[in-house]
């Protein structure tokens, strides 16, 4: 495994409260050093009690920061174990996992407590009946990666080019909360920008009167639902990311949350050309493709400071949007986008069987679209995998619905495991009507409200007869290698430049000759590839280890300012 270190490698900190939108005082982190064992077998493998060594959670065994640097193969299981003491004697104990890739089973003091399937979404288990004063937690995890028709993102065992090292096991924070017998399980927060109110729905394990405390006022509800009028409403935008904070008191339980007043929609400019709208005003979204990989932690950011660095670097360059590409981040990342002011386009995690070049590359680039009810063509023959896609979509929506920063969902990218996309779109709209949907990002266009285009190698020209809103959802990919800050010598990029001066000039030409003229003709958004180098790809504006910025940030900001003014 590669050991490129980021500026935060020697000061790792993952113990900040993992779920900022529903925060309690009774938070006890289980991040840190665990014991681990990797053995041949499946999720029900027998364990002899002898460990291989220590692993630092929440970093995957493949990562440098885990201390293991060991690939977990599909025919192996990784077993985690650690002890912990009960911190509070009353109420219920709820065990939380931010994400575990891919399937896991959890045991408390030898008792099976629960499990989860899906590598990208949070889950919780009530362990009250198993917990004692002193406890042992064991977690068994298997990860078939790209050998099974599951959601896997850009992970590939035989990685290279645009495919990356797999991440297995626990890769987001683990923690325990102690709650009263009657407690809040989740909140659903829906702002109505036009009518200046917010709906708050409280999901709890039993009915109780609720009080919402906000801006010096108290609001009550007996049925768990309340609509609050927002006086002197302050809008959220990347330029002014105002957040409203509130407390919910539910019997003896209390949580703190937040929301923002903002609206994403489709509209037209004064000249009649289509545009994306933010808060009922035309708003050009200029952004970066963001894979969310780290040279030291792979899927897992080494600290809050690392996440904040990436977001602020994008803002320094004049970008107002990040497209989170085929990955779901820890909830703290979205919180920082909320409070710092960064719109997020959130991809759902793609998967399925082994992709066919004819489906994901050859035919789409010849302008040939195959209907995506052809499950064989799009590597989606497995019915269980299709059902699991909807399960993970629901879980992703549940986890991220309240994040003000998310303005757009992307169900499918470039035909990767695409299927029944118009049905998927209708299903998604029923779950969330407050955001835009880029249904088929790149190609294999089946319809939808946005025409989404990926363009590399050749000049981008606005399609003349397209009546839908046009988004250039990937472009550029200009690359430059910096020695001693590169993952491998064999590099990948869509155009390679030898020094910063040439790269800066190429970016200036790209913006001035293609992107800015396209905006004048009705382009609604543009997402440049990409924020950081990732392994073989050296087309980031910053290196994989975040040690070297490769472009003139002021010059790039000036170019983006021409798009957003």
């Amino acid at each position: 495994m590669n050991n490129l270190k980021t500026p935060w490698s020697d000061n790792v900190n993952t113990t900040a409260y993992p779920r900022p939108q529903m925060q309690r005082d009774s938070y006890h982190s289980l991040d840190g050093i665990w014991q681990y064992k990797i053995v041949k077998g499946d999720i029900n493998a027998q364990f002899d009690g002898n460990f291989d060594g220590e692993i630092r959670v929440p970093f995957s065994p493949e990562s440098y920061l885990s201390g293991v640097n060991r690939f977990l193969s599909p025919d192996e299981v990784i077993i985690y174990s650690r002890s912990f003491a009960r911190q509070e004697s009353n109420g219920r104990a709820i065990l939380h996992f931010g994400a575990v890739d891919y399937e896991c089973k959890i045991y408390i003091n030898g008792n099976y407590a629960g499990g989860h399937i899906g590598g990208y979404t949070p889950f919780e288990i009530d362990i009250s009946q198993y917990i004692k004063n002193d406890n042992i937690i064991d977690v068994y995890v298997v990860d078939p990666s790209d050998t099974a028709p599951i959601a896997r993102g850009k992970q590939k065992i035989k990685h290279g080019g645009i495919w990356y090292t797999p991440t297995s096991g626990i890769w987001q924070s683990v923690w325990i909360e102690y709650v009263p017998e009657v407690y809040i399980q989740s909140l659903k927060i829906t702002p109505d920008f036009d009518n200046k109110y917010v709906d708050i729905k409280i999901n709890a394990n039993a009915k109780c009167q609720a009080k919402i405390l906000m801006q010096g006022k108290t609001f009550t509800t007996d049925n768990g639902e309340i609509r609050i009028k927002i006086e002197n409403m302050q809008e959220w935008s990347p330029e002014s990311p105002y957040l409203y904070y509130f407390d919910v008191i539910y019997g003896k339980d209390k949580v703190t949350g937040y929301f923002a007043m903002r609206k994403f929609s489709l509209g037209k400019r004064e000249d009649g050309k289509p545009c994306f709208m933010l808060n009922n005003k035309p708003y050009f979204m200029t952004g970066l493709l963001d894979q969310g990989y780290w040279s030291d932690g792979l899927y897992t950011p080494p600290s809050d400071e690392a996440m904040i660095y990436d977001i602020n670097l994008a803002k320094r360059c004049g970008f107002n949007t990040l497209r989170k590409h085929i990955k779901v981040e820890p909830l703290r990342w979205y919180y920082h986008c909320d409070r710092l002011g960064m719109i997020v386009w959130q991809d759902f995690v793609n998967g399925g069987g082994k992709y066919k070049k004819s489906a994901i590359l050859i035919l789409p680039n010849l302008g040939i679209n195959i209907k995506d009810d052809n499950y064989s063509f799009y590597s989606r023959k497995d019915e269980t995998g299709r059902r699991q896609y909807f399960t993970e979509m629901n879980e992703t929506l549940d986890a991220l619905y309240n994040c003000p920063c998310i303005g757009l969902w992307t169900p499918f990218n470039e035909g990767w495991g695409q299927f029944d996309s118009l049905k998927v779109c209708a299903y998604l709209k029923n779950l969330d009507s407050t955001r835009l949907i880029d249904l088929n990002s790149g190609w294999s266009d089946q319809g939808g409200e946005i025409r989404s285009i990926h363009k590399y190698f050749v000049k981008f020209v606005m399609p003349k007869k397209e009546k839908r809103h046009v988004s250039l959802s990937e472009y550029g990919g200009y690359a430059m290698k910096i020695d001693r800050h590169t993952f491998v010598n064999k590099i990948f990029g869509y155009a390679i430049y030898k020094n910063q001066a040439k790269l800066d000039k190429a970016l200036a030409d790209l913006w001035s000759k293609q992107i800015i003229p396209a905006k004048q003709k009705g382009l609604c958004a543009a997402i440049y590839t990409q924020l950081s180098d990732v392994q073989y790809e050296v087309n980031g504006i910053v290196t994989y280890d975040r040690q070297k910025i490769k472009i003139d940030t002021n010059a790039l900001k000036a170019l983006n300012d021409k798009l957003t003014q």
Side-chain angles (χ1 to χ4, degrees):
M1 299 293 175
N2 184 274
N3 292 344
L4 282 175
K5 297 173 70 174
T6 70
W8 309 277
S9 295
D10 297 326
N11 191 25
V12 170
N13 183 4
T14 64
T15 58
Y17 195 94
R19 190 185 53 194
Q21 280 188 326
M22 208 179 91
Q23 187 164 333
R24 287 186 177 91
D25 293 334
S26 61
Y27 159 63
H28 300 280
S29 175
L30 293 182
D31 287 354
I33 301 301
W34 292 49
Q35 302 293 313
Y36 83 95
K37 176 82 171 183
I38 297 176
V39 299
K40 292 288 184 182
D42 60 18
I43 195 75
N44 298 306
Q46 297 298 310
F47 176 43
D48 62 9
N50 296 312
F51 293 101
D52 293 340
E54 294 182 338
I55 184 170
R56 176 160 40 180
V57 169
F59 298 97
S60 74
E62 293 87 357
S63 71
Y64 165 73
L65 287 178
S66 72
V68 176
N69 278 336
R70 161 79 152 77
F71 171 69
L72 184 72
S73 67
D75 62 348
E76 292 177 320
V77 57
I78 181 170
I79 303 163
Y80 297 81
S81 184
R82 67 159 289 170
S83 61
F84 68 94
R86 180 170 187 134
Q87 301 293 318
E88 298 181 22
S89 57
N90 297 320
R92 310 197 68 80
I94 311 299
L95 176 64
H96 297 266
F97 290 84
V100 180
D101 196 3
Y102 173 72
E103 180 181 359
C104 67
K105 288 187 174 182
I106 294 97
Y107 298 84
I108 303 295
N109 300 320
N111 300 292
Y112 175 69
H116 185 257
I117 296 175
Y120 294 86
T121 49
F123 62 96
E124 62 186 53
I125 300 171
D126 187 336
I127 61 171
S128 305
Q129 62 181 310
Y130 309 114
I131 195 171
K132 300 183 288 190
N133 288 335
D134 296 301
N135 304 276
I136 299 292
I137 176 173
D138 299 306
V139 182
Y140 288 59
V141 187
V142 293
D143 182 14
S145 191
D146 61 321
T147 67
I150 63 171
R152 58 184 180 271
K154 299 194 78 172
Q155 304 179 82
K156 194 171 183 179
I157 292 172
K158 294 183 179 180
H159 43 86
I162 66 169
W163 309 103
Y164 312 141
T165 302
T167 293
S168 304
I170 301 171
W171 68 272
Q172 288 191 30
S173 288
V174 186
W175 77 100
I176 292 179
E177 285 182 311
Y178 298 93
V179 299
E181 289 296 330
V182 175
Y183 69 98
I184 301 167
Q185 294 173 308
S186 65
L187 302 174
K188 185 175 183 179
I189 308 166
T190 307
D192 186 321
F193 182 88
D194 292 336
N195 295 302
K196 299 182 180 180
Y197 63 74
V198 63
D199 287 329
I200 300 176
K201 183 177 181 180
I202 302 164
N203 179 40
N205 68 331
K207 287 188 177 182
C208 182
Q209 186 186 71
K211 294 181 180 180
I212 289 89
L213 283 59
M214 185 173 69
Q215 296 185 325
K217 295 182 179 180
T218 300
F219 308 88
T220 61
T221 175
D222 292 325
N223 66 0
E225 298 184 24
I226 190 166
R227 175 169 292 177
I228 299 174
K229 187 73 175 179
I230 306 299
E231 306 292 342
N232 303 313
M233 186 179 79
Q234 297 193 56
E235 303 178 7
W236 182 97
S237 70
E239 295 73 30
S240 180
Y242 186 85
L243 300 178
Y244 288 86
Y245 289 88
F246 64 92
D247 293 328
V248 180
I249 299 175
Y250 197 83
K252 296 180 179 180
D253 196 13
K254 178 183 177 182
V255 300
T256 298
Y258 70 87
F259 63 91
M261 299 303 296
R262 54 89 183 102
K263 177 185 177 184
F264 296 101
S265 58
L266 300 175
K268 291 186 177 180
R269 308 185 317 207
E270 289 185 359
D271 62 5
K273 296 191 182 307
C275 65
F276 289 170
M277 308 278 279
L278 175 62
N279 302 336
N280 296 325
K281 305 183 196 76
Y283 195 89
F284 191 88
M285 298 185 192
T286 176
L288 288 165
L289 197 69
D290 181 5
Q291 313 278 3
Y293 272 75
W294 301 84
S295 64
D296 50 6
L298 293 180
Y299 259 11
T300 311
S303 67
D304 261 35
E305 289 72 23
M307 292 185 268
I308 293 166
Y309 173 84
D310 272 9
I311 298 165
N312 278 335
L313 175 59
K315 290 182 73 73
R316 281 171 54 194
C317 294
F319 294 102
N320 56 36
T321 303
L322 290 173
R323 179 184 170 196
K324 182 53 61 178
H325 196 34
I326 327 290
K327 184 196 175 193
V328 179
E329 289 288 353
L331 291 174
R332 291 200 64 82
W333 183 84
Y334 299 94
Y335 167 64
H336 294 308
C337 288
D338 290 336
R339 71 177 187 84
L340 295 172
M342 181 61 69
I343 296 170
V344 174
W345 291 12
Q346 179 62 52
D347 291 9
F348 290 101
V349 181
N350 294 165
K354 183 179 180 181
Y355 300 148
K356 300 176 181 178
K357 284 188 178 181
S358 57
I360 69 171
L361 186 62
I362 298 173
L363 292 186
N365 281 288
L366 292 175
I368 300 172
N369 264 346
I370 305 297
K371 290 293 185 182
D372 61 10
D373 58 359
N374 186 333
Y375 299 149
S376 177
F377 182 74
Y378 287 99
S379 306
R380 274 293 189 179
K381 291 174 63 177
D382 183 75
E383 184 179 352
T384 301
R386 298 197 303 271
R387 288 199 303 267
Q388 182 65 20
Y389 176 87
F390 284 100
T391 297
E392 294 185 36
M393 174 180 280
N394 284 325
E395 292 181 357
T396 303
L397 260 293
D398 287 344
L400 302 183
Y401 181 87
N402 295 339
C403 300
C405 62
I406 297 179
L408 177 147
W409 301 111
T410 301
F412 297 111
N413 179 76
E414 294 184 353
W416 301 353
Q418 181 174 316
F419 70 99
D420 295 339
S421 56
L422 290 176
K423 294 179 182 178
V424 169
C425 184
Y427 182 83
L428 178 56
K429 272 186 170 293
N430 185 58
L431 292 175
D432 182 7
S433 62
T434 69
R435 294 175 169 100
L436 307 178
I437 299 175
D438 181 2
L439 182 57
N440 307 122
S441 187
W443 42 75
S444 295
D445 181 21
Q446 308 290 312
E449 58 193 9
I450 295 171
R451 170 71 187 280
S452 182
I453 298 171
H454 295 181
K455 190 66 67 173
Y456 299 108
F457 300 114
V458 297
K459 183 178 179 180
F460 172 68
V461 179
M462 279 285 290
K464 293 181 180 180
K465 297 183 180 181
E466 181 59 65
K467 295 181 180 180
R468 293 176 293 172
H469 290 68
V470 176
S471 167
L472 183 58
S473 45
E474 288 185 30
Y475 74 100
Y478 291 177
M480 184 181 77
K481 177 185 176 183
I482 297 183
D483 290 336
R484 296 187 299 278
H485 298 278
T486 302
F487 182 71
V488 288
N489 289 325
K490 185 179 180 181
I491 61 173
F492 176 87
Y494 296 101
I496 298 176
Y497 298 90
K498 293 184 178 180
N499 57 56
Q500 181 179 330
K502 292 182 178 180
L503 178 58
D504 283 337
K505 183 180 184 306
L507 292 173
D509 288 344
L510 178 60
W511 256 253
S512 61
K513 295 179 181 180
Q514 296 186 45
I515 308 306
I516 294 172
K519 183 207 172 181
Q520 295 167 351
K521 294 179 181 179
L523 182 66
C524 299
I527 305 295
Y528 178 80
T529 303
Q530 62 187 333
L531 174 59
S532 74
D533 293 353
V534 185
Q535 298 193 354
Y536 307 87
E537 294 189 76
V538 292
N539 47 19
I541 64 171
V542 66
T543 54
Y544 188 27
D545 59 7
R546 295 351 188 242
Q547 300 280 1
K548 297 287 184 181
I549 296 173
K550 297 195 285 183
I551 48 87
D552 183 333
T553 57
N554 292 327
L556 190 50
K557 183 178 186 303
L559 292 166
N560 275 321
D561 286 347
K562 292 180 180 180
L563 284 173
T564 56
Q565 287 172 353

